[in-house]
Amino acid sequence: GQNIDQPTEMTATEGAIVQINCTYQTSGFNGLFWYQQHAGEAPTFLSYNVLDGLEEKGRFSSFLSRSKGYSYLLLKELQMKDSASYLCAVMDSNYQLIWGAGTKLIIKP
Amino acid sequence: IAGITQAPTSQILAAGRRMTLRCTQDMRHNAMYWYRQDLGLGLRLIHYSNTAGTTGKGEVPDGYSVSRANTDDFPLTLASAVPSQTSVYFCASSTSGSNEQFFGPGTRLTVL
């Protein structure tokens, strides 16, 4: 079966760095997406990786290793507004997104 | 309008009733999707449409139907609602099947 695993919840301090991991087993691979979802709101797109390596976008970076079925989202200089759930999703061979349950990130002052 | 809109925002529905959730986008995206989101679970795809006039089944299609008469609209119908269909429903769209998806604000549906 297809499976996306990510931690349920993480806590970090304002100004610090946090890494959210995602491991996956899917039928085919056509890219990995990270989305941010604030409580009660819709998911919004953060990043997309299809090749191995690191993609940097401001305070957020995303890494992919296809051979290991592994990705992480790195958030630097954490701000209180970064408190949200972070969703990992893999596009399978049918170009359908398979979603993880999300990681709730709590930022403490 | 700009982006994707969904209606209603929330709804309480008696079991056995018919309900249509509306979704409209003005970005001229070819692909549209319906997901449900339940606590502790990832988003699950109900139905999708790669282009106007075509639809396909996702992971959890039973009890739901969709139509795509034009590019902008993608309504989701529950023919006879059951309590297990209590969920938050998100509509999304993308320029094509392989690109990032943009989400509507969601509809919170409670079936009693």
Side-chain angles (χ1 to χ4, degrees):
Chain A
Q2 308 201 92
N3 195 50
I4 310 287
D5 285 318
Q6 48 181 134
T8 302
E9 186 175 295
M10 299 181 70
T11 301
T13 304
E14 189 177 16
I17 299 173
V18 71
Q19 177 175 311
I20 302 173
N21 296 324
C22 171
T23 57
Y24 63 89
Q25 288 180 306
T26 56
S27 57
F29 180 86
N30 283 299
L32 186 144
F33 295 77
W34 284 97
Y35 280 77
Q36 181 189 60
Q37 186 178 25
H38 285 99
E41 297 183 7
T44 56
F45 171 77
L46 285 177
S47 69
Y48 170 68
N49 295 69
V50 67
L51 300 176
D52 289 353
L54 188 68
E55 294 281 342
E56 297 186 82
K57 191 185 293 185
R59 294 189 299 115
F60 292 8
S61 303
S62 56
F63 172 83
L64 174 67
S65 168
R66 288 172 297 172
S67 63
K68 296 182 179 178
Y70 168 71
S71 173
Y72 67 73
L73 180 70
L74 192 72
L75 291 74
K76 304 176 184 176
E77 301 170 12
L78 286 170
Q79 302 175 10
M80 297 304 292
K81 67 179 182 179
D82 297 329
S83 292
S85 289
Y86 291 85
L87 314 180
C88 174
V90 172
M91 186 160 283
D92 70 8
S93 57
N94 294 318
Y95 291 93
Q96 290 187 7
L97 281 178
I98 309 300
W99 295 81
T103 298
K104 182 178 180 180
L105 178 63
I106 299 168
I107 309 296
K108 295 185 175 180
Chain B
I1 56 174
I4 303 182
T5 58
Q6 292 183 236
T9 301
S10 65
Q11 182 75 43
I12 299 173
L13 190 66
R17 296 298 295 268
R18 181 184 180 89
M19 175 75 191
T20 295
L21 307 184
R22 299 185 298 279
C23 174
T24 299
Q25 54 103 359
D26 67 354
M27 298 178 285
R28 309 304 294 172
H29 285 173
N30 286 321
M32 296 187 75
Y33 314 84
W34 274 106
Y35 292 95
R36 60 178 290 172
Q37 187 174 41
D38 301 292
L39 198 62
L41 298 177
L43 287 159
R44 291 183 291 170
L45 183 65
I46 304 170
H47 284 287
Y48 65 94
S49 169
N50 288 329
T51 189
T54 69
T55 63
K57 294 181 179 180
E59 179 186 356
V60 289
D62 294 343
Y64 306 94
S65 64
V66 292
S67 61
R68 186 88 184 277
N70 56 60
T71 298
D72 298 346
D73 301 299
F74 191 44
L76 176 74
T77 297
L78 290 67
S80 179
V82 295
S84 62
Q85 292 178 311
T86 293
S87 188
V88 179
Y89 290 85
F90 286 104
C91 179
S93 71
S94 63
T95 53
S96 70
S98 60
N99 290 3
E100 67 182 270
Q101 295 179 12
F102 295 84
F103 284 78
T107 293
R108 183 173 296 274
L109 182 66
T110 303
V111 183
L112 301 175

